[in-house]
Amino acid sequence: MLPFLGIINGLLVPTLIMPPYFFALSAQETVVYQFILYGVLFMLLLLFYMKGKSWRSWFHESMQHRSLRRSEKYLLWIVGILMLLFSNHTAMQITVDSGNVQAADSIYGRGLAPFIGITSVSAFVMTITIIVLIMQGNKRSFYHEKVSRMQSGMITFMAEVVENRDDNTGGHIRRTAAYVECIAKELKRQGRYSNILTDRYLSDMVVAAPLHDIGKIHIPDAVLNKPGKLTEEEFEIMKTHTTAGEELLTHAKKELGESGYLNTAVEMAAYHHEWWNGKGYPYGISGEEIPLCARIMAVADVFDALTSKRCYKSAMPLEKAYAIIREESGTHFDPAVVEAFFAVIADMDEREELNKRI
């Protein structure tokens, strides 16, 4: 919320005061001038309303779209309040005397009149500058968010291209991303891992989730799409998709620069097959050594694998899948993540409905 009252006063009061003062208008002329000014303002507001969607959309994007930083909000409130107090104080120093607008007698004397004129102009210019700066900041923020959404869409598209090599996992990346978001939000609601699970981390996790299996691009089709059970040698090859994904995304970081979602994507790709008890792969780390994003993805990934139809198996009934997730809490999965998963099960759409949307 912006201090619009102060900003409006910073514009309106100097506009009301300066012309009558500088042109020494009579009382009657001042009333006429103010009547015309209010009429113009009313017509502008009427036109703004009648012009319709295009003007309102522009106003929304320019003035309301951006969430200001806390420091910016404080600064604007201070300036807005100063404008409100100053403009009201300035108005009190001007009075109509003998048919002319002039500085009122006060403890400051008539020498205050030039100061009032100069500071009124300063207030007006300052307020216009503030509005322009806000609009420019909003515009930059708007386009930044637009580019971010486009970037997110490109990430999902790239991940789907890789996924399409695997005949078994249609819709897998979108479903797991949805599960990750639900679980992470529930953990945040419960106050778990509050030192890690910031809004930014949660956002990065949702964007990065589609890239967790990006390393499968290096797995041969004969292994990736084998209809039967993998041999030990084939399984060892399949396991390399974690380190391959880590290497690909680490290289992307070097080329594109540091990014929160790429850091998270590296961790998800590398560690989403690690186990809470240290018996996973590729590094055999355990407990909270495993990044939180990967521990959340582990539950989402296994749940989707269990309940999805693959060429080598049928989809498992939900209750049986739930039983496996519960059973492996504390061994395969972080117990806190499993608890959050089951806390949101009631709010999650049924599997069939999710498949329809995807």
Side-chain angles (χ1 to χ4, degrees), residues 168 216 219-239 241 281 312:
N168 300 320
K216 284 185 176 179
I219 305 300
D221 286 343
V223 174
L224 191 65
N225 294 315
K226 183 177 179 179
K229 185 177 179 181
L230 298 178
T231 64
E232 283 189 25
E233 292 78 9
E234 289 168 336
F235 185 56
E236 288 301 317
I237 293 171
M238 179 63 82
K239 285 160 67 174
H241 82 275
Y281 65 87
Y312 56 86

Side-chain angles (χ1 to χ4, degrees), residues 192-210:
R192 301 290 187 94
Y193 302 119
S194 57
N195 59 322
I196 301 172
L197 204 54
T198 61
D199 290 340
R200 180 62 183 271
Y201 187 79
L202 196 155
S203 175
D204 288 340
M205 208 186 313
V206 174
V207 174

